[in-house]
Amino acid sequence: MNTYLKHIFPTPLYGGVNEDTEIRTKICNLVYEWKENAFKEMNEISDSKSRLMSYHWDLQSESNNGSDFDKHGITTFNSGNLALDPNWEFVCKFLLKMAYELIGKECTYNIHLTSLWATLYPNSSYVPEHIHNNSLYSGVFYVKTSANCGDIVFKDPSYIAKTMAAIPMKSKTLSQFPTVDIVYTQEVSDGMMLLFPSWLPHSTQPNQSDEDRIILSFNLDFHE
């Protein structure tokens, strides 16, 4: 009998690093400017709040308390689509150009940036496992990183099937068959962009450094 094993459902993860420190500095300034303006607005308008990160992300918690942002992290996610903000136009062009460099050779369609948001992760902050709904491809750009700032973790969406034994095994050695890696941890660095299918579950490790981790998250669509 001829037997074979094929891994028929590989998931593409495109990655690249841009060395342009000047644009990362400009983006950092925009993020911190947004944070400062958000604080001012929340002090002036009592019902103005911003989305929190860490375990609060799943709870969709919002706050106007500065200590909450410093503890859990803060995002522009519910503060408007940055892809439509004129102040972020040069950032959108930069991200699209880099996206074309990563997947343009394999894509016969025009790539459009449909949504963009920034997230600031202080010490211990993270984002739980999630996907990006109503999109084809998603991406993340690392504006500011440091040692131990927390890597990104991707999870195989078919992990249940791949970790279930089809028959009972008596041998301790084989008791975990089939043994398949169901997570992939990607080390992050300044200027790195990652593109992946929007349905791919992903999360981040907590930031264990004393520096903020700043990222841009975005969704892409494709048209003729």
Side-chain angles (χ1 to χ4, degrees), residues 32 120-125 144-150 207-214:
Y32 284 120
L120 191 154
Y121 296 90
N123 176 266
S124 299
S125 181
K144 181 181 178 183
T145 65
S146 58
N148 301 315
C149 72
N207 181 2
Q208 297 182 11
S209 75
D210 293 327
E211 299 289 332
D212 292 330
R213 181 177 79 238
I214 298 178

PDB file of all heavy atoms in Angstrom, residues 32 120-125 144-150 207-214:
ATOM      1  N   TYR A  32       0.828  59.884  19.497  1.00  0.00           N
ATOM      2  CA  TYR A  32       0.878  60.569  20.787  1.00  0.00           C
ATOM      3  C   TYR A  32       0.079  61.864  20.764  1.00  0.00           C
ATOM      4  O   TYR A  32      -0.504  62.267  21.777  1.00  0.00           O
ATOM      5  CB  TYR A  32       2.323  60.847  21.188  1.00  0.00           C
ATOM      6  CG  TYR A  32       3.049  59.615  21.700  1.00  0.00           C
ATOM      7  CD1 TYR A  32       4.185  59.136  21.067  1.00  0.00           C
ATOM      8  CD2 TYR A  32       2.586  58.939  22.834  1.00  0.00           C
ATOM      9  CE1 TYR A  32       4.845  58.007  21.524  1.00  0.00           C
ATOM     10  CE2 TYR A  32       3.237  57.807  23.303  1.00  0.00           C
ATOM     11  CZ  TYR A  32       4.364  57.349  22.642  1.00  0.00           C
ATOM     12  OH  TYR A  32       5.013  56.230  23.105  1.00  0.00           O
ATOM     13  N   LEU A 120      -1.770  51.758  21.101  1.00  0.00           N
ATOM     14  CA  LEU A 120      -0.617  51.998  21.961  1.00  0.00           C
ATOM     15  C   LEU A 120      -0.685  51.026  23.131  1.00  0.00           C
ATOM     16  O   LEU A 120      -1.649  51.023  23.894  1.00  0.00           O
ATOM     17  CB  LEU A 120      -0.634  53.453  22.440  1.00  0.00           C
ATOM     18  CG  LEU A 120       0.593  54.006  23.148  1.00  0.00           C
ATOM     19  CD1 LEU A 120       0.651  55.526  22.952  1.00  0.00           C
ATOM     20  CD2 LEU A 120       0.561  53.710  24.632  1.00  0.00           C
ATOM     21  N   TYR A 121       0.340  50.179  23.242  1.00  0.00           N
ATOM     22  CA  TYR A 121       0.395  49.166  24.296  1.00  0.00           C
ATOM     23  C   TYR A 121       1.472  49.531  25.318  1.00  0.00           C
ATOM     24  O   TYR A 121       2.662  49.401  25.033  1.00  0.00           O
ATOM     25  CB  TYR A 121       0.740  47.789  23.713  1.00  0.00           C
ATOM     26  CG  TYR A 121      -0.264  47.207  22.765  1.00  0.00           C
ATOM     27  CD1 TYR A 121      -0.185  47.460  21.393  1.00  0.00           C
ATOM     28  CD2 TYR A 121      -1.281  46.373  23.214  1.00  0.00           C
ATOM     29  CE1 TYR A 121      -1.097  46.905  20.510  1.00  0.00           C
ATOM     30  CE2 TYR A 121      -2.197  45.821  22.339  1.00  0.00           C
ATOM     31  CZ  TYR A 121      -2.098  46.090  20.985  1.00  0.00           C
ATOM     32  OH  TYR A 121      -2.996  45.537  20.118  1.00  0.00           O
ATOM     33  N   PRO A 122       1.097  49.962  26.522  1.00  0.00           N
ATOM     34  CA  PRO A 122       2.091  50.188  27.574  1.00  0.00           C
ATOM     35  C   PRO A 122       2.502  48.849  28.205  1.00  0.00           C
ATOM     36  O   PRO A 122       2.106  47.785  27.735  1.00  0.00           O
ATOM     37  CB  PRO A 122       1.331  51.061  28.572  1.00  0.00           C
ATOM     38  CG  PRO A 122      -0.100  50.647  28.393  1.00  0.00           C
ATOM     39  CD  PRO A 122      -0.256  50.313  26.941  1.00  0.00           C
ATOM     40  N   ASN A 123       3.282  48.913  29.241  1.00  0.00           N
ATOM     41  CA  ASN A 123       3.714  47.703  29.937  1.00  0.00           C
ATOM     42  C   ASN A 123       2.521  46.847  30.347  1.00  0.00           C
ATOM     43  O   ASN A 123       1.527  47.354  30.858  1.00  0.00           O
ATOM     44  CB  ASN A 123       4.542  48.082  31.173  1.00  0.00           C
ATOM     45  CG  ASN A 123       4.943  46.881  31.992  1.00  0.00           C
ATOM     46  OD1 ASN A 123       4.256  46.516  32.947  1.00  0.00           O
ATOM     47  ND2 ASN A 123       6.036  46.254  31.619  1.00  0.00           N
ATOM     48  N   SER A 124       2.612  45.538  30.073  1.00  0.00           N
ATOM     49  CA  SER A 124       1.610  44.515  30.421  1.00  0.00           C
ATOM     50  C   SER A 124       0.388  44.522  29.514  1.00  0.00           C
ATOM     51  O   SER A 124      -0.489  43.665  29.646  1.00  0.00           O
ATOM     52  CB  SER A 124       1.146  44.652  31.887  1.00  0.00           C
ATOM     53  OG  SER A 124       2.245  44.474  32.765  1.00  0.00           O
ATOM     54  N   SER A 125       0.310  45.456  28.589  1.00  0.00           N
ATOM     55  CA  SER A 125      -0.857  45.540  27.711  1.00  0.00           C
ATOM     56  C   SER A 125      -0.737  44.553  26.554  1.00  0.00           C
ATOM     57  O   SER A 125       0.361  44.229  26.091  1.00  0.00           O
ATOM     58  CB  SER A 125      -1.004  46.958  27.173  1.00  0.00           C
ATOM     59  OG  SER A 125      -2.131  47.072  26.333  1.00  0.00           O
ATOM     60  N   LYS A 144       6.679  51.197  16.634  1.00  0.00           N
ATOM     61  CA  LYS A 144       7.653  51.290  17.729  1.00  0.00           C
ATOM     62  C   LYS A 144       7.667  49.984  18.500  1.00  0.00           C
ATOM     63  O   LYS A 144       6.636  49.535  19.004  1.00  0.00           O
ATOM     64  CB  LYS A 144       7.293  52.442  18.665  1.00  0.00           C
ATOM     65  CG  LYS A 144       8.255  52.637  19.824  1.00  0.00           C
ATOM     66  CD  LYS A 144       7.807  53.779  20.727  1.00  0.00           C
ATOM     67  CE  LYS A 144       8.760  53.939  21.913  1.00  0.00           C
ATOM     68  NZ  LYS A 144       8.300  55.000  22.846  1.00  0.00           N
ATOM     69  N   THR A 145       8.845  49.375  18.580  1.00  0.00           N
ATOM     70  CA  THR A 145       9.008  48.136  19.339  1.00  0.00           C
ATOM     71  C   THR A 145      10.265  48.237  20.199  1.00  0.00           C
ATOM     72  O   THR A 145      11.065  49.156  20.050  1.00  0.00           O
ATOM     73  CB  THR A 145       9.145  46.916  18.410  1.00  0.00           C
ATOM     74  OG1 THR A 145      10.365  47.027  17.654  1.00  0.00           O
ATOM     75  CG2 THR A 145       7.962  46.800  17.460  1.00  0.00           C
ATOM     76  N   SER A 146      10.406  47.273  21.086  1.00  0.00           N
ATOM     77  CA  SER A 146      11.610  47.166  21.906  1.00  0.00           C
ATOM     78  C   SER A 146      11.731  45.720  22.350  1.00  0.00           C
ATOM     79  O   SER A 146      10.819  44.906  22.133  1.00  0.00           O
ATOM     80  CB  SER A 146      11.529  48.104  23.120  1.00  0.00           C
ATOM     81  OG  SER A 146      10.379  47.814  23.902  1.00  0.00           O
ATOM     82  N   ALA A 147      12.833  45.387  22.972  1.00  0.00           N
ATOM     83  CA  ALA A 147      13.035  44.015  23.440  1.00  0.00           C
ATOM     84  C   ALA A 147      11.934  43.641  24.432  1.00  0.00           C
ATOM     85  O   ALA A 147      11.599  44.433  25.318  1.00  0.00           O
ATOM     86  CB  ALA A 147      14.407  43.881  24.088  1.00  0.00           C
ATOM     87  N   ASN A 148      11.358  42.457  24.260  1.00  0.00           N
ATOM     88  CA  ASN A 148      10.316  41.936  25.160  1.00  0.00           C
ATOM     89  C   ASN A 148       9.031  42.759  25.128  1.00  0.00           C
ATOM     90  O   ASN A 148       8.283  42.779  26.114  1.00  0.00           O
ATOM     91  CB  ASN A 148      10.829  41.857  26.602  1.00  0.00           C
ATOM     92  CG  ASN A 148      12.052  40.973  26.739  1.00  0.00           C
ATOM     93  OD1 ASN A 148      12.097  39.886  26.189  1.00  0.00           O
ATOM     94  ND2 ASN A 148      13.058  41.449  27.462  1.00  0.00           N
ATOM     95  N   CYS A 149       8.767  43.423  23.997  1.00  0.00           N
ATOM     96  CA  CYS A 149       7.550  44.240  23.917  1.00  0.00           C
ATOM     97  C   CYS A 149       6.326  43.404  23.567  1.00  0.00           C
ATOM     98  O   CYS A 149       5.206  43.923  23.582  1.00  0.00           O
ATOM     99  CB  CYS A 149       7.722  45.366  22.904  1.00  0.00           C
ATOM    100  SG  CYS A 149       7.740  44.819  21.174  1.00  0.00           S
ATOM    101  N   GLY A 150       6.522  42.106  23.273  1.00  0.00           N
ATOM    102  CA  GLY A 150       5.385  41.238  22.971  1.00  0.00           C
ATOM    103  C   GLY A 150       5.267  40.934  21.499  1.00  0.00           C
ATOM    104  O   GLY A 150       5.062  41.839  20.690  1.00  0.00           O
ATOM    105  N   ASN A 207       3.123  43.174  26.639  1.00  0.00           N
ATOM    106  CA  ASN A 207       4.335  43.992  26.567  1.00  0.00           C
ATOM    107  C   ASN A 207       5.061  43.924  27.906  1.00  0.00           C
ATOM    108  O   ASN A 207       4.566  44.418  28.916  1.00  0.00           O
ATOM    109  CB  ASN A 207       3.955  45.439  26.230  1.00  0.00           C
ATOM    110  CG  ASN A 207       5.172  46.345  26.115  1.00  0.00           C
ATOM    111  OD1 ASN A 207       6.310  45.910  26.256  1.00  0.00           O
ATOM    112  ND2 ASN A 207       4.922  47.619  25.865  1.00  0.00           N
ATOM    113  N   GLN A 208       6.223  43.305  27.916  1.00  0.00           N
ATOM    114  CA  GLN A 208       6.991  43.159  29.149  1.00  0.00           C
ATOM    115  C   GLN A 208       8.126  44.171  29.254  1.00  0.00           C
ATOM    116  O   GLN A 208       8.981  44.058  30.133  1.00  0.00           O
ATOM    117  CB  GLN A 208       7.546  41.732  29.248  1.00  0.00           C
ATOM    118  CG  GLN A 208       6.467  40.663  29.329  1.00  0.00           C
ATOM    119  CD  GLN A 208       7.036  39.265  29.472  1.00  0.00           C
ATOM    120  OE1 GLN A 208       8.215  39.078  29.720  1.00  0.00           O
ATOM    121  NE2 GLN A 208       6.178  38.267  29.299  1.00  0.00           N
ATOM    122  N   SER A 209       8.120  45.152  28.372  1.00  0.00           N
ATOM    123  CA  SER A 209       9.140  46.201  28.425  1.00  0.00           C
ATOM    124  C   SER A 209       8.562  47.443  29.095  1.00  0.00           C
ATOM    125  O   SER A 209       7.371  47.512  29.385  1.00  0.00           O
ATOM    126  CB  SER A 209       9.622  46.546  27.017  1.00  0.00           C
ATOM    127  OG  SER A 209       8.642  47.313  26.328  1.00  0.00           O
ATOM    128  N   ASP A 210       9.412  48.411  29.319  1.00  0.00           N
ATOM    129  CA  ASP A 210       8.970  49.677  29.911  1.00  0.00           C
ATOM    130  C   ASP A 210       8.689  50.732  28.842  1.00  0.00           C
ATOM    131  O   ASP A 210       8.400  51.888  29.172  1.00  0.00           O
ATOM    132  CB  ASP A 210      10.032  50.194  30.884  1.00  0.00           C
ATOM    133  CG  ASP A 210      10.173  49.305  32.108  1.00  0.00           C
ATOM    134  OD1 ASP A 210       9.154  48.727  32.537  1.00  0.00           O
ATOM    135  OD2 ASP A 210      11.307  49.171  32.626  1.00  0.00           O
ATOM    136  N   GLU A 211       8.786  50.332  27.580  1.00  0.00           N
ATOM    137  CA  GLU A 211       8.511  51.229  26.463  1.00  0.00           C
ATOM    138  C   GLU A 211       7.162  50.874  25.840  1.00  0.00           C
ATOM    139  O   GLU A 211       6.732  49.723  25.854  1.00  0.00           O
ATOM    140  CB  GLU A 211       9.611  51.109  25.408  1.00  0.00           C
ATOM    141  CG  GLU A 211      10.999  51.475  25.905  1.00  0.00           C
ATOM    142  CD  GLU A 211      11.150  52.967  26.157  1.00  0.00           C
ATOM    143  OE1 GLU A 211      10.442  53.739  25.474  1.00  0.00           O
ATOM    144  OE2 GLU A 211      11.963  53.356  27.009  1.00  0.00           O
ATOM    145  N   ASP A 212       6.495  51.878  25.276  1.00  0.00           N
ATOM    146  CA  ASP A 212       5.237  51.623  24.568  1.00  0.00           C
ATOM    147  C   ASP A 212       5.507  50.825  23.293  1.00  0.00           C
ATOM    148  O   ASP A 212       6.503  51.058  22.604  1.00  0.00           O
ATOM    149  CB  ASP A 212       4.557  52.931  24.187  1.00  0.00           C
ATOM    150  CG  ASP A 212       4.059  53.707  25.398  1.00  0.00           C
ATOM    151  OD1 ASP A 212       3.720  53.064  26.403  1.00  0.00           O
ATOM    152  OD2 ASP A 212       4.019  54.952  25.322  1.00  0.00           O
ATOM    153  N   ARG A 213       4.635  49.875  23.008  1.00  0.00           N
ATOM    154  CA  ARG A 213       4.619  49.242  21.686  1.00  0.00           C
ATOM    155  C   ARG A 213       3.522  49.937  20.895  1.00  0.00           C
ATOM    156  O   ARG A 213       2.372  49.990  21.346  1.00  0.00           O
ATOM    157  CB  ARG A 213       4.344  47.746  21.788  1.00  0.00           C
ATOM    158  CG  ARG A 213       4.347  47.046  20.412  1.00  0.00           C
ATOM    159  CD  ARG A 213       4.154  45.545  20.518  1.00  0.00           C
ATOM    160  NE  ARG A 213       2.763  45.162  20.735  1.00  0.00           N
ATOM    161  CZ  ARG A 213       2.328  44.452  21.764  1.00  0.00           C
ATOM    162  NH1 ARG A 213       3.163  44.080  22.714  1.00  0.00           N
ATOM    163  NH2 ARG A 213       1.055  44.133  21.872  1.00  0.00           N
ATOM    164  N   ILE A 214       3.849  50.459  19.735  1.00  0.00           N
ATOM    165  CA  ILE A 214       2.874  51.186  18.916  1.00  0.00           C
ATOM    166  C   ILE A 214       2.737  50.485  17.574  1.00  0.00           C
ATOM    167  O   ILE A 214       3.736  50.218  16.896  1.00  0.00           O
ATOM    168  CB  ILE A 214       3.295  52.651  18.701  1.00  0.00           C
ATOM    169  CG1 ILE A 214       3.372  53.386  20.044  1.00  0.00           C
ATOM    170  CG2 ILE A 214       2.316  53.366  17.772  1.00  0.00           C
ATOM    171  CD1 ILE A 214       3.824  54.828  19.926  1.00  0.00           C
TER     172      ILE A 214
END
